[in-house]
Amino acid sequence: SVSLGSAENSSADGLVFFAFEGSSPKDFAEIDRKTGGLISQAFKKKEFAGKKDESLFLRTSFSKILIVGIGEKTAGFATDKLRIYCGNAFSALKSMECKTIAFSCPHQTQVLEFGRVCAEACVIADYSFEKYKTPAAGDKKKIVDGVTIFVQSEAGAVKKLVDDAVLICACANYARDLDNEPANKATPSFLAEQ
């Protein structure tokens, strides 16, 4: 789903924020206050600065918080990079058994692009082909029940792009299912029927 605002007020199990290099704790004032200043401390101790591929993980009483460093803010900041960061964040929080995840659009980022690439990343990252896999005894499948993308504006337009992205990526995942079928099942006639 898509909501106006920021993920700070979300009740999701996992919260994802993004930081450009040179960000300050002021950019995360509300969530920093809720964590008792843990984000400010990380910046102050130089444990986190928003550098590319850097991350800060906080386990709090109300949520698991992941702040992802996305490097320098440049005029041509590639949305492909953002897609990778969103997918990695989704996978990390899913592996920690978060049932709901909220993403907050980075400041100074095109909200329409962010909504689309975030939705694509989550659907693609959630894919796994386990049709023929026998689960191990006591093995519990990790499932994310919902993702909310928080944007500062244009929620209606973002929702339309998100819906389109989810449909396109679901089709891509269906194609991946067909590709993963064994040859004795995915015969030419079987594929033609699909």
Side-chain angles (χ1 to χ4, degrees):
S1 65
V2 176
S3 289
L4 275 176
S6 182
E8 287 121 352
N9 299 316
S10 172
S11 60
D13 300 330
L15 306 178
V16 181
F17 300 90
F18 298 92
F20 286 106
E21 191 169 348
S23 294
S24 74
K26 291 178 186 174
D27 297 327
F28 306 97
E30 181 64 24
I31 196 70
D32 188 38
R33 183 188 61 74
K34 284 185 167 184
T35 63
L38 292 175
I39 296 169
S40 296
Q41 289 175 26
F43 273 94
K44 191 175 185 179
K45 293 178 181 177
K46 298 188 185 254
E47 296 171 344
F48 182 79
K51 292 180 181 171
K52 182 181 174 215
D53 300 329
E54 185 178 52
S55 62
L56 174 65
F57 176 73
L58 303 170
R59 190 181 300 265
T60 67
S61 60
F62 60 89
S63 192
K64 294 175 178 119
I65 300 169
L66 183 60
I67 303 177
V68 180
I70 53 179
E72 293 181 22
K73 172 66 175 157
T74 59
F77 181 75
T79 53
D80 286 344
K81 290 180 186 175
L82 201 50
R83 184 181 293 107
I84 292 167
Y85 294 132
C86 288
N88 289 343
F90 177 90
S91 296
L93 291 173
K94 179 181 178 181
S95 73
M96 291 180 223
E97 299 183 358
C98 289
K99 296 285 185 195
T100 54
I101 301 173
F103 287 83
S104 192
C105 180
H107 297 291
Q108 305 169 352
T109 303
Q110 294 288 331
V111 294
L112 296 174
E113 281 296 299
F114 175 75
R116 181 180 60 80
V117 299
C118 186
E120 289 170 355
C122 292
V123 174
I124 296 296
D126 198 33
Y127 177 81
S128 65
F129 185 78
E130 299 177 0
K131 186 174 179 179
Y132 302 108
K133 183 179 177 184
T134 304
D139 194 15
K140 190 173 116 181
K141 187 174 179 178
K142 296 173 183 165
I143 297 172
V144 175
D145 294 327
V147 172
T148 304
I149 301 170
F150 285 87
V151 294
Q152 294 81 25
S153 62
E154 303 183 66
V158 173
K159 181 169 180 359
K160 182 177 178 349
L161 286 173
V162 165
D163 291 345
D164 290 348
V166 168
L167 179 62
I168 291 166
C169 291
C171 292
N173 284 345
Y174 179 68
R176 292 165 82 185
D177 279 345
L178 292 176
D179 187 48
N180 283 318
E181 286 288 348
N184 66 334
K185 170 86 177 190
T187 61
S189 57
F190 170 82
L191 292 174
E193 290 172 6
Q194 303 305 308

